Amino acid sequence: MKAAIFICGTALLLTGCDKKETGPMSAEQVAEKMDSVKLEPGEWEATQEIVDVKMTGLPKGMPAEAMQQMIGKKNTIKHCVTPEMAANPSADFLAAQKDANCTYENMDMSGGTINGKMTCAAPNNTKAVMKMTLKGTYLPASYAMDMTMESQGMGEGMRMNMQMKSSGKRIGACPAGSETAPKAGG
């Protein structure tokens, strides 16, 4: 789940465009819009914080307060955005997995702001669906976003509603020999 949160948060920076899109959009349509992104390559640090979480339909024996312990915790990771990635951002960044079957709706990314909705179905469980609403700001070297996620169909009637804050910033050049995979940070 941490990887999904990171990828969604970081990748939203990569969706910048100057037009408002209403109605459903495919990953391919989002990718076409990404050509106008002006992203600075280098090492990026992304931080996510869970602001609130509510779960219903928990499996028997799972303590309801387990998710509450996540509130207020921050997860920070670093990753390298290569010049190639910055020049050609991929819509795959928006989904936790390449085959997550995501659609996008009402994406407005004009004037350094981002507002929109994303819905993804898990590749191995089409009943498991995550709906995300995004609102925030972005610049070529930073972003800040509020996200609301609603997940359902995860099995046994379990549902989850989560509010998160996500921010990121370019912190410098990529370290020599660095990989593009995210790394846990401080």
Side-chain angles (χ1 to χ4, degrees):
M1 182 156 143
K2 287 182 182 178
I5 292 168
F6 164 75
I7 292 172
C8 288
T10 301
L12 293 170
L13 169 66
L14 302 177
T15 63
C17 64
D18 294 329
K19 295 182 185 177
K20 180 176 183 174
E21 291 293 332
T22 58
M25 297 173 65
S26 68
E28 291 79 19
Q29 289 170 310
V30 173
E32 288 175 18
K33 300 293 180 188
M34 293 174 137
D35 285 339
S36 66
V37 172
K38 303 297 182 229
L39 179 65
E40 291 184 17
E43 186 173 27
W44 281 73
E45 181 177 81
T47 301
Q48 289 75 41
E49 177 183 2
I50 296 175
V51 177
D52 192 23
V53 64
K54 292 180 179 66
M55 294 189 73
T56 58
L58 294 172
K60 187 176 181 175
M62 183 175 183
E65 60 276 355
M67 292 298 287
Q68 295 297 316
Q69 295 174 3
M70 295 173 56
I71 295 174
K73 303 263 189 211
K74 293 183 179 181
N75 180 38
T76 301
I77 57 177
K78 296 177 183 177
H79 71 289
C80 181
V81 174
T82 66
E84 295 79 19
M85 293 166 69
N88 298 301
S90 166
D92 291 343
F93 273 81
L94 291 171
Q97 300 172 10
K98 183 177 179 178
D99 300 325
N101 191 24
C102 296
T103 59
Y104 312 89
E105 187 175 344
N106 299 327
M107 297 303 282
D108 180 8
M109 293 162 269
S110 58
T113 64
I114 180 169
N115 294 292
K117 296 179 182 181
M118 178 171 71
T119 302
C120 298
N124 57 351
N125 178 2
T126 56
K127 293 181 182 180
V129 175
M130 179 195 68
K131 295 180 181 183
M132 182 183 297
T133 302
L134 323 158
K135 184 174 184 171
T137 59
Y138 68 91
L139 297 167
S142 66
Y143 66 90
M145 201 156 322
D146 292 322
M147 295 179 275
T148 302
M149 296 188 320
E150 177 185 325
S151 299
Q152 61 187 21
M154 297 179 282
E156 301 181 29
M158 190 168 75
R159 297 176 68 104
M160 179 174 66
N161 291 309
M162 183 183 301
Q163 293 178 351
M164 294 178 17
K165 289 184 182 269
S166 178
S167 62
K169 61 185 177 183
R170 184 183 182 278
I171 57 174
C174 292
S178 67
E179 299 176 27
T180 59
K183 298 172 196 68

